[in-house]
Amino acid sequence: MDSLINAAGRALAAGDPLGALKRVALRDDAPALALRGIAMAQLGDFAKAKALLKDAARAFSPREAVARARCVVAEAEIALVSRDLGWPEKALRSARATLAAHGDRLNAAYAGSLEARRLILIGRLDEAERLLSDFDPAPLPPVARVAHELAAAGIAVRRLRTKAARSAFGRASLAAYEANIPALRAEVEAASQVLNTPVGRLIARGTEKELLLDEVEALLSSGALVIDACRNVVRKADVVVSLATRPVLFALARALAEAWPADASREVLLGRAFRARHADESHRARLRVEMGRLRAELGALAEINATAAGFALTPLKAAEVVVLAPPVEDEHGAVLAFLTDGEAWSSSALAIALGASARTVQRALEQLSAQDKVQAVGRGRARRWMMPPVTGFPTVLLLPGPLPSD
């Protein structure tokens, strides 16, 4: 490898893509194509970057398996940053195996962190955690350590392990300063803001209070009976009852919790669960049926008793009943939660991440766009969706992946 290639590589490692391009912009050999592709990715031209990396992978000979694998890893990173979740993960896994087999441990570790970050985005936290546990980040260069620690922090945040998340963000920040790349430092700083931003609201005894991530963690381990409107579950410590597929039952549970320690009137319950403006006997009969079903679901956590005015919730072995709600409640809050990362998402990528149909996500985006809550960039297959800056935004608790005891 000649001196210009080495110099371009050092420039890219230092976060200087223009300096790298000055050295290899007019060259079409395989190493130069690969470096040009990485430089274009750092400059934000992902389409050109992907094309150059594909050309580079084809230009390397079959004997240069490591170089080809590195091109695949670079392409995978571009796919992750541009939220192309449909990019074939098997290709990255194969490249990681090739790098490990040829002794390129550092790039194999970086490929693993990319794979873990993709798994985190789509809520497969157990797989991501197992993948990261196979690597010791200490020997990695600073840029690779940042990627590893951000992935570890992402898992900790999703699992509400605030102390672990804070430690991972701290290690990522130190590695970013060691790398001396301003964009990397900014990325770590932006990601760590989740620890200092309200992610939920506590509703109890007629009052509301914003909660930070560590306060949500403390709440869920406090022993209170928590009606969790972020995940549509009812929980007390390690006992969790999911009502995610029973929206009527969850609406009734939340109405009862918001009224606690008093009872909730039948009119309030009918309005919240069935949106009934004028209750008749058929509505009241249905309310009795649904209350019976809710009573059966929550039998291990609480009693539900009829009163003269309506129904009352009585917790078993819990001193408090509270509601944990998102800071901003929106019908399409889960879609908005992904868009708060500041990246441009395609509707197909959002569908993969949410585990929903493409048409469902498209309808949600169209409605949000009509309300000026999201904006589209590009057309056709190149269309991407972003959320304009707002003061209040959905919570990380709406993202997929289990919370403690799920």
Side-chain angles (χ1 to χ4, degrees), residues 11 16 32 55 74 81 90 103 126 137 143-144 157 223 263 270 273 280 293 308 326 335 342 344 362 373 389:
D16 180 16
D55 289 343
V81 173
K90 288 183 179 179
D126 290 338
V143 173
V157 165
D263 57 357
L270 288 168
D280 56 27
R293 290 170 176 165
V335 173
Q362 287 167 359
K373 293 182 178 180

Side-chain angles (χ1 to χ4, degrees), residues 194-392:
V194 69
L195 300 177
N196 304 311
T197 303
V199 297
R201 286 178 298 134
L202 174 67
I203 303 174
R205 298 177 182 268
T207 65
E208 290 190 16
K209 174 189 174 184
E210 290 187 334
L211 298 179
L212 299 178
L213 199 70
D214 56 352
E215 294 173 317
V216 173
E217 181 182 11
L219 174 66
L220 296 184
S221 61
S222 67
L225 182 64
V226 180
I227 284 67
D228 183 348
C230 298
R231 299 279 176 169
N232 284 7
V233 301
V234 179
R235 63 172 79 235
K236 178 185 177 297
D238 293 335
V239 181
V240 179
V241 176
S242 176
L243 299 176
T245 60
R246 311 286 292 276
V248 170
L249 296 191
F250 185 80
L252 291 173
R254 178 170 177 174
L256 290 170
E258 290 181 0
W260 188 87
D263 57 357
S265 70
R266 289 177 175 81
E267 289 71 21
V268 168
L269 292 168
L270 288 168
R272 293 284 292 274
F274 311 130
R275 299 180 182 178
R277 295 182 179 179
H278 305 288
D280 56 27
E281 189 54 38
S282 65
H283 286 114
R284 294 176 182 275
R286 186 182 175 193
L287 177 61
R288 288 193 294 271
V289 170
E290 297 297 346
M291 277 298 181
R293 290 170 176 165
L294 182 61
R295 189 179 290 116
E297 291 285 344
L298 302 186
L301 296 174
E303 294 179 351
I304 299 175
N305 300 307
T307 66
F311 291 86
L313 183 70
T314 304
L316 302 176
K317 300 180 181 178
E320 286 288 323
V321 177
V322 301
V323 174
L324 173 61
V328 176
E329 298 200 65
D330 191 282
E331 180 185 2
H332 305 299
V335 173
L336 289 172
F338 276 103
L339 297 180
T340 56
D341 68 358
E343 301 292 347
W345 287 73
S346 67
S347 60
S348 59
L350 285 169
I352 292 171
L354 289 165
S357 72
R359 186 58 194 141
T360 296
V361 172
Q362 287 167 359
R363 281 197 299 267
L365 290 168
E366 288 164 4
Q367 292 178 27
L368 291 169
S369 178
Q371 298 165 11
D372 294 325
K373 293 182 178 180
V374 302
Q375 58 190 24
V377 179
R379 296 189 178 189
R381 296 184 65 181
R383 171 170 279 197
R384 296 293 185 269
W385 296 88
M386 303 177 67
M387 193 167 76
V390 290
T391 55

Side-chain angles (χ1 to χ4, degrees), residues 152-153 156-157 161-170 195 213:
V157 165
R161 298 172 183 166
T162 311
K163 184 177 180 181
R166 201 176 299 279
S167 297
F169 280 128
L195 300 177
L213 199 70

Side-chain angles (χ1 to χ4, degrees), residues 80 109-121 124-133 135 137 140 143-159 161 164-173 184 187-188 191-192:
L80 178 70
Y110 194 70
S113 69
L114 291 176
E115 188 176 348
R117 290 169 73 181
R118 181 186 183 278
L119 291 169
I120 293 167
L121 277 179
R124 289 156 60 181
L125 302 187
D126 290 338
E127 295 176 57
E129 202 162 26
R130 283 195 298 270
L131 190 59
L132 291 181
S133 67
F135 297 101
L140 299 177
V143 173
R145 287 207 308 276
V146 170
H148 185 282
E149 297 300 350
L150 285 180
I155 293 172
V157 165
R158 297 281 189 97
R159 293 196 186 280
R161 298 172 183 166
R166 201 176 299 279
S167 297
F169 280 128
R171 294 191 297 270
S173 181
L184 203 58
E187 180 183 357
V188 174
S192 64

